[in-house]
Structures are given as C-alpha cells and as structure tokens.
C-alpha cells in the first residue's frame, strides 16, 4: 500500500484516522480489512459515517462525514459538545469551541435549538451571551458576559429579546451597574441593581431607594 487519501475530516486529525485504520509499514492492500477499518472509524466520537475503498494496485481512499457541533452542554462540572439533536459527541472540549453557545442544566441539550434560534434573531446581542440556563424545564435565563442575568418568558422569547436590544440601544441598559433584568411578564420589565449600586442609590435617596426584590427562578 503506497497511498492513503483522506477527505471530509475537520475535527479529527490525520494521525487519529491512521491509528484507527491500523496501517503499518509494509501493509498489503489485498489483505487489508476494509470492513473492519470502517467499523473502527464509525466508532470514533466525531464520525457520523465512514467510507473505506480500495483502489488497486496501491491506494486506499477514506471519506468521512463528521458530526456537526451545535452547542456546549453543561450539567454539574461536566461539559460536552452536542449536535443539533442534543446527542453528545464528546466530553473533550477545548478552546476551539468557545464560540458555541453554552446551555446549562439537564434537558437543556434537547431544547438548545429553541434558544439558539431565538438568539439568532438578535445578532447584536448574541456575542454578549455567555450561557443559557434552562429553568424548571420551562423557560430560559441568559447570563451575559458582564455578569447580568436576563430572565426570559416562557413564550415569545424573540419579542422579549428584541425589546431588550431596543432598550439597550436607547438607554445603554446593559452597560449599567445592574445584576438582573426580569422580562417574564409581557407588560413589565424589572431591573435589579447590583448590591453596590443599590447601596449607593439608597444613600443618595436617603434610604428611600429600592434595588428590587430577589426571588427564586421559576
């Protein structure tokens, strides 16, 4: 065997493929077990489908169809790369996947498409979102890169996100010293100040200012 032609690989490197093929110096194309090699390739985490073809007298052709990473999924301390259907591809995550949305909590991987789709309607906001938390398997909270939490409603997320972008463009809302923005009610937006900002406001108003109430997410 003189040549091995590879195509379709993006996430898997050449060494990993050759290792799975079990090709060594002096390997014979005639004796090479193409079916066994195909099975080993299909067992690799990133491989969706593998094709192994012999071309006599001396060439082996490998074509791979890889799984497509969609989001990162975190539950507890474990983070995985999953596809759009929510199936885990691998738990080996590095900096190459930092631009993928991080969804958090059990069940979030199966519903990632709904929050990812909603965020695609507000491209101005998407780069500022660090993570999306599925709350009680009903709705989503966003955590922005500056630490602000945004509590979204169960329905009409797109409208709530559009309103958030509008308020930010008009008043610089997301640059303010705030902890959380509650958009769960269609007719009301509640802003909760950070502890320092709330204390400062309290001093400035002689104790009459309020920072907003906390509460358990539902």
């Amino acid at each position: 065997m003189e040549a091995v032609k590879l195509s379709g690989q993006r996430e898997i490197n050449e060494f990993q493929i050759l290792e799975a093929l079990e090709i060594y110096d002096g390997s014979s194309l005639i004796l090479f077990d193409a079916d066994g090699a195909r099975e080993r390739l299909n067992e690799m985490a990133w491989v969706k489908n593998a094709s192994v073809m012999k071309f006599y007298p001396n060439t082996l052709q490998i074509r791979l169809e890889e799984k497509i990473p969609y989001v990162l999924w975190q539950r507890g301390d474990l983070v995985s790369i999953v596809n759009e259907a929510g199936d885990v591809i691998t738990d080996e995550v590095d900096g190459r996947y930092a631009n993928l949305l991080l969804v958090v909590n059990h069940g979030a991987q199966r519903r990632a498409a709904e929050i990812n789709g909603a965020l695609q309607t507000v491209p101005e906001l998407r780069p500022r979102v660090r993570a999306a938390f599925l709350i009680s398997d009903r709705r989503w909270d966003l955590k922005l890169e500056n630490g602000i939490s945004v509590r979204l409603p169960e329905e009409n997320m797109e409208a709530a996100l559009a309103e958030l972008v509008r308020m930010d463009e008009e008043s610089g809302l997301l640059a303010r010293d705030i902890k959380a923005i509650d958009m769960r009610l269609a007719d009301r937006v509640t802003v909760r100040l950070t502890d320092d900002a709330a204390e400062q406001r309290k001093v400035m108003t002689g104790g009459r200012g309020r920072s907003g109430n906390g509460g358990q997410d539902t």
Side-chain angles (χ1 to χ4, degrees):
M1 191 183 310
E2 295 182 4
V4 178
K5 296 183 178 180
L6 307 177
S7 63
Q9 74 275 15
R10 298 183 308 274
E11 307 295 338
I12 307 172
N13 62 49
E14 181 177 323
F15 175 78
Q16 292 171 312
I17 297 172
L18 295 177
E19 187 176 45
L21 291 175
E22 297 183 358
I23 295 176
Y24 310 100
D25 290 341
S27 293
S28 167
L29 185 64
I30 296 176
L31 299 178
F32 181 75
D33 182 2
D35 291 336
R38 185 181 304 107
E39 290 180 4
R40 291 191 296 275
L41 288 171
N42 281 323
E43 289 173 356
M44 298 178 73
W46 281 101
V47 176
K48 182 178 181 180
N49 186 54
S51 169
V52 179
M53 301 180 66
K54 297 180 180 181
F55 289 91
Y56 293 102
N58 54 21
T59 300
L60 185 67
Q61 179 175 283
I62 310 298
R63 292 180 178 174
L64 298 181
E65 180 185 1
E66 291 187 347
K67 300 171 185 176
I68 300 175
Y70 186 63
V71 295
L72 301 178
W73 173 39
Q74 180 175 348
R75 58 278 189 216
D77 294 329
L78 181 61
V79 178
S80 305
I81 301 171
V82 302
N83 63 16
E84 190 168 0
D87 300 321
V88 172
I89 297 175
T90 180
D91 298 332
E92 297 181 5
V93 182
D94 58 41
R96 291 177 295 168
Y97 310 103
N99 290 331
L100 295 178
L101 178 66
L102 175 66
V103 297
V104 184
N105 291 331
H106 288 282
Q109 83 285 13
R110 298 295 180 189
R111 297 180 56 180
E114 65 186 51
I115 186 62
N116 224 3
L119 287 171
Q120 288 176 6
T121 67
V122 282
E124 313 93 322
L125 181 65
R126 172 61 186 90
R128 304 168 75 173
V129 177
R130 179 187 299 170
F133 294 76
L134 182 62
I135 306 299
S136 301
D137 201 30
R138 293 167 49 195
R139 60 171 199 83
W140 294 91
D141 279 359
L142 301 180
K143 177 68 74 172
L144 304 187
E145 60 183 356
N146 60 0
I148 295 176
S149 293
V150 180
R151 298 172 179 174
L152 295 175
E154 291 185 48
E155 300 179 353
N156 299 320
M157 284 192 297
E158 292 84 354
L161 290 169
E163 176 65 10
L164 179 63
V165 169
R166 184 193 66 79
M167 290 188 295
D168 184 51
E169 290 176 345
E170 292 184 356
S171 65
L173 177 65
L174 299 180
R176 296 184 182 181
D177 198 5
I178 58 179
K179 179 184 294 185
I181 303 170
D182 193 338
M183 308 190 73
R184 289 176 291 179
L185 299 179
D187 61 346
R188 184 187 313 162
V189 175
T190 302
V191 175
R192 183 176 181 182
L193 300 176
T194 63
D195 293 341
D196 289 343
E199 185 63 27
Q200 183 178 9
R201 180 177 180 183
K202 184 177 180 180
V203 171
M204 293 176 63
T205 59
R208 296 189 301 275
R210 296 192 305 167
S211 63
N213 295 324
Q216 184 176 1
D217 288 341
T218 58

